[in-house]
Amino acid sequence: MSHRLLCVTAHPDDESGGFGGALLLAHRAGAETNLLCFTDGQAAHFRGTAGDDAELARMRRAELDAACAVLGLTRCEVLHYPDGALPEQNFLELVGVVVERIRRWRPQVVLTFGSDGAVNLHRDHTMASLVTTAAFHWAARAELFPERGAAWAAQKLYYVSTPFVSVRNHPELT
């Protein structure tokens, strides 16, 4: 049986900044590496030359595709939820989507953010953590989301967290 890993993120660039080393090492070790990203990243503060949200989303998606190639990812799926608004989405719907991917891709290991929101305390990162944590546990329970495939119990759930924060315009948090 080959080893499989699933990384769940909120935005394009999260895969590189928070998880890139683990994803690359897993790929080099022969594991199947899968990425599930909730948004296109169209609400980012750092917009480069993008003239509008749609253009920024296209630019960030192209950057994500390039990063996936460098990291050797087996699969990358972007779900197109609204960037910056994951806390306003239906929690059970989000969990069901991740449960379905866990059951379909059958990873042994799942990676996501810690519930703190990672280095920048982003609330979309916190939601990715909460949703993925629930999905990790619930994907193994056949009575939950039976329409989303046969139950699968991933073996390990890992969080990325840092002992510091770097939050723009909020020096009191650093």
Side-chain angles (χ1 to χ4, degrees):
M1 172 168 76
S2 68
H3 292 96
R4 294 174 304 278
L5 179 145
L6 170 62
C7 180
V8 182
T9 66
H11 316 102
D13 80 2
D14 294 341
E15 77 294 331
S16 296
F19 307 96
L23 291 167
L24 185 58
L25 287 172
H27 165 71
R28 287 182 177 168
E32 177 183 297
T33 52
N34 301 288
L35 176 67
L36 184 63
C37 181
F38 280 108
T39 78
D40 290 317
Q42 68 271 20
H45 293 289
F46 302 104
R47 305 183 69 80
T49 60
D52 59 24
D53 289 353
E55 185 179 358
L56 180 60
R58 284 190 301 277
M59 289 170 57
R60 294 199 69 194
R61 181 56 198 257
E63 292 170 353
L64 175 63
D65 291 344
C68 289
V70 169
L71 297 172
L73 291 177
T74 307
R75 178 184 297 112
C76 173
E77 182 178 353
V78 178
L79 297 174
H80 309 291
Y81 283 95
D83 185 12
L86 287 181
E88 287 79 40
Q89 305 309 302
N90 181 296
F91 182 77
L92 287 177
E93 176 188 320
L94 295 175
V95 172
V97 167
V98 179
V99 163
E100 182 177 343
R101 294 334 182 270
I102 290 172
R103 289 177 176 175
R104 184 185 320 154
W105 298 336
R106 302 169 64 88
Q108 288 88 13
V109 175
V110 177
L111 306 174
T112 194
F113 294 103
S115 62
D116 57 0
V119 69
N120 63 358
L121 306 177
H122 199 298
R123 53 193 217 133
D124 280 356
H125 296 171
T126 297
M127 284 303 296
S129 175
L130 299 174
V131 165
T132 303
T133 300
F136 172 83
H137 295 290
W138 294 353
R141 297 178 56 189
E143 74 276 10
L144 298 176
F145 301 101
E147 72 285 0
R148 302 276 185 159
W152 173 258
Q155 298 165 1
K156 297 179 186 257
L157 173 63
Y158 290 109
Y159 300 112
V160 66
S161 291
T162 62
F164 61 90
V165 295
S166 177
V167 182
R168 196 175 106 200
N169 299 326
H170 292 282
E172 73 277 7
L173 296 174
T174 59

